[in-house]
Amino acid sequence: MSRAGDARAGEPGRPGGPEPVRLAVIIGSTREGRAGEAVAHWFAARARRRDDLAVDVVDLAEFTFPPRYPCAVTPPVAAFTGRIELADAFAVVTPEYNHSFPASLKQAIDYAYDEWRAKPVGFVAYGHRSQGFHAIEHLRTVFTELHMVTVRGRVTFDLLDCGDGARPPDDGAAARDAGAMLDQLTWWALALREARAVRPYVS
């Protein structure tokens, strides 16, 4: 077998290669009439085309979180943090509200801690004219505090360019950016998964 063949045999999702990277795509908005669900499923569909990724869409609207931070873990909180723990990497889908990300997303992020650490995260952001840049930069500071690696690549777009479906075109800049970000997430997820297996992360 050629060296190229040897390299391909060691890729995630191929016989003899490592397990596919478990990618959690988190829908950060719970607002009625949200665009986030369509955006997240567009991104997840692109990720599922890859043999090296196993995709789990985590919709915050499906969890009945308590209105205040509880003294004891509730079943919905345990269910959410369990899915975060299982993931190797994350793509957070967020709108931009008032130059930041929604409260529903911050609430969910704060329910987990150890489950986030030493894993990579990327961002898919959207807005009306803003394209979600402010939301992403605020999220970078939050996830850095949680000892995560925020990848440089990002997917951003203006909903006003998407028509009625809230989905960017499959042959545009957002699609190319999605491919690049998935490459970065996969590289970091494999590197950090191997590192955690050899030596548990200590903060």
Side-chain angles (χ1 to χ4, degrees), residues 46-66:
R46 302 195 69 81
R48 288 190 175 110
R49 298 176 187 176
R50 301 172 58 123
D51 294 332
D52 54 357
L53 293 173
V55 180
D56 177 26
V57 176
V58 181
D59 187 350
L60 298 187
E62 296 177 355
F63 297 89
T64 307
F65 291 135

Side-chain angles (χ1 to χ4, degrees), residues 95-101 125 130-140 154:
E96 181 171 311
Y97 298 153
N98 301 320
H99 275 206
S100 193
F101 58 93
S130 69
Q131 298 188 32
F133 295 128
H134 298 97
I136 288 175
E137 293 312 307
H138 288 181
L139 282 166
R140 287 191 192 279
R154 62 190 181 185

Side-chain angles (χ1 to χ4, degrees), residues 24 33 47 57 63 70 82 101 114 122 125 139 141 149 167 170 176 196 202:
V57 176
F63 297 89
F101 58 93
D114 291 345
L139 282 166
T141 63
V149 174
R167 295 166 63 97
D170 286 329
R176 292 191 295 272
R196 292 195 307 273
V202 178

Side-chain angles (χ1 to χ4, degrees), residues 106-176:
K106 186 61 166 68
Q107 179 191 36
I109 291 169
D110 289 347
Y111 283 137
Y113 184 71
D114 291 345
E115 297 87 352
W116 295 115
R117 296 191 308 171
K119 297 176 182 179
V121 58
F123 306 102
V124 181
Y126 57 92
H128 289 91
R129 303 188 190 285
S130 69
Q131 298 188 32
F133 295 128
H134 298 97
I136 288 175
E137 293 312 307
H138 288 181
L139 282 166
R140 287 191 192 279
T141 63
V142 172
F143 281 115
T144 298
E145 181 65 17
L146 290 168
H147 300 262
M148 299 186 74
V149 174
T150 63
V151 300
R152 186 181 186 280
R154 62 190 181 185
V155 182
T156 62
F157 55 91
D158 188 339
L159 289 176
L160 296 178
D161 296 332
C162 297
D164 296 331
R167 295 166 63 97
D170 286 329
D171 57 352
R176 292 191 295 272

